[in-house]
Amino acid sequence: MGAERCRIETWVEQGIITSDQAGEIHEFEDRESPQRSIALEILGYVGATLVLAAGMALMSNTWPDLERGVRLSILLAGTGLLTWVGMSGISDRGDPMRRLGQTALMLAVPAIGVAARIATDDVIPGRSVIVGFIVASGVAVILYLRSPSYPQHIVLFTAIIGLAVNLALRPLSSTESLFFSLAFLGVGLMWVSLATVGWLTARTLGEVLGGGAAVVGSVIMVVTFESSAPAMVGFITASVGVIWFSLSRNRTAVLVTGMIGIVLYVPWLITETLGDSVGTPIALFTAGALLIGSAIFLMRTETRMPLDDTKISPSENP
């Protein structure tokens, strides 16, 4: 299918057919193409997963006994192979090969991170994990800039979150929950901001991941504080601000994050203020009412706000 699409694009460039005709041909081919190739692709991934699982099972017993140089060599060889497959795949014109390449590059990031940790374990003991995350994050940034796809987006986000959490947890162990929450909040808000202005693609995925991280960070912070009511009021206010911002920028994913904050913290604040016996029923009723209202509100805004963007190229962002 990739070669056919390339040929059709060549026909458009040479003036043999128009762009509208090319679009109709693409729609027809997508509608008429058999599903066998997709099924075979899925079978290939299942088989690769089984092979990987078998290899991990065999290595689990002997890995701790291997010399550091041997373990490092295995990881570097695996990383090299994954990188070669990935670069070859994303350069291919066929969609299945591109997906294979993106997946291989995604797996190469943690492999190179683990290799960096093993290589520096004796040099800076106790800090080698941070070095591993720094290397993994750097590689993830490079791969994301090379091929800004969904798998690369997810692995980049995971690497940055892991790096932030490890950096935050090290200095003060007595307050690591607070640092943990700040790490999630900081990365989450940064991710939403970068995705909303179009610096990260795909935008919707970035907003969902960042919003989820920010919510997790806020929950950890509320649980950490002895007096959690002021923190809840603050996050409710922030959620209202997020909703206003999302409506002004027409971003549904950001809107959902703000509404999750409202649905989560308003009932929680009621229970915290009134106590379990009285507050719990009222909180449950309030949560249900908020969910119903949220559903109605989202359905009404669905027609005028974009719910999804599938563009993965920075130049194609709105």
Side-chain angles (χ1 to χ4, degrees):
M1 181 63 71
E4 294 175 4
R5 288 183 180 273
C6 179
R7 194 159 53 242
I8 293 171
E9 292 171 2
T10 303
W11 293 345
V12 174
E13 293 174 357
Q14 295 178 355
I16 300 175
I17 60 176
T18 65
S19 299
D20 293 338
Q21 290 172 328
E24 293 176 359
I25 294 173
H26 288 323
E27 292 179 3
F28 176 80
E29 292 292 341
D30 291 339
R31 187 169 58 250
E32 296 296 324
S33 60
Q35 299 298 313
R36 183 174 62 181
S37 60
I38 299 177
L40 291 176
E41 185 179 353
I42 293 173
L43 286 177
Y45 280 111
V46 172
T49 303
L50 293 176
V51 171
L52 181 62
M56 293 178 65
L58 290 173
M59 291 295 298
S60 61
N61 295 326
T62 59
W63 185 261
D65 300 328
L66 295 176
E67 295 290 336
R68 187 180 65 168
V70 176
R71 286 183 288 168
L72 193 59
S73 300
I74 293 173
L75 284 169
L76 291 177
T79 302
L81 178 61
L82 288 170
T83 304
W84 176 76
V85 172
M87 290 301 182
S88 301
I90 63 175
S91 301
D92 194 89
R93 296 185 182 275
D95 291 338
M97 285 302 298
R98 280 202 299 269
R99 285 191 289 267
L100 174 63
Q102 292 164 2
T103 303
L105 290 177
M106 181 176 66
L107 294 174
V109 172
I112 193 64
V114 174
R117 184 191 69 80
I118 293 175
T120 58
D121 205 13
D122 291 341
V123 181
I124 43 175
R127 295 286 182 173
S128 59
V129 174
I130 294 180
V131 174
F133 271 108
I134 291 175
V135 173
S137 300
V139 173
V141 169
I142 295 172
L143 293 178
Y144 178 80
L145 294 175
R146 173 67 176 80
S147 176
S149 61
Y150 281 86
Q152 265 61 265
H153 191 142
I154 292 173
V155 75
L156 174 60
F157 176 79
T158 305
I160 297 296
I161 278 286
L163 176 60
V165 168
N166 272 275
L167 289 173
L169 290 181
R170 297 295 170 178
L172 297 173
S173 58
S174 60
T175 57
E176 46 182 43
S177 293
L178 179 60
F179 280 90
F180 196 82
S181 67
L182 290 175
F184 270 90
L185 269 172
V187 175
L189 294 176
M190 177 192 72
W191 222 254
V192 171
S193 302
L194 292 176
T196 301
V197 299
W199 288 2
L200 283 174
T201 55
R203 291 175 64 184
T204 301
L205 177 63
E207 291 164 351
V208 170
L209 290 175
V215 169
V216 170
S218 69
V219 170
I220 297 173
M221 184 175 291
V222 168
V223 173
T224 301
F225 287 162
E226 294 182 1
S227 179
S228 56
M232 291 184 199
V233 172
F235 286 124
I236 290 171
T237 305
S239 298
V240 173
V242 168
I243 292 173
W244 173 83
F245 173 79
S246 65
L247 291 175
S248 66
R249 297 297 297 265
N250 290 335
R251 299 305 301 168
T252 303
V254 181
L255 171 66
V256 171
T257 300
M259 299 184 80
I260 288 175
I262 295 292
V263 173
L264 175 65
Y265 285 117
V266 170
W268 196 350
L269 179 61
I270 293 174
T271 304
E272 185 77 13
T273 305
L274 301 180
D276 292 338
S277 58
V278 178
T280 299
I282 298 176
L284 290 174
F285 177 82
T286 304
L290 287 171
L291 286 172
I292 294 172
S294 300
I296 295 173
F297 185 70
L298 285 173
M299 284 188 288
R300 290 191 173 184
T301 57
E302 181 179 357
T303 57
R304 58 187 180 87
M305 292 180 66
L307 288 177
D308 184 39
D309 63 274
T310 56
K311 306 295 185 184
I312 61 174
S313 174
S315 62
E316 296 172 338
N317 271 314

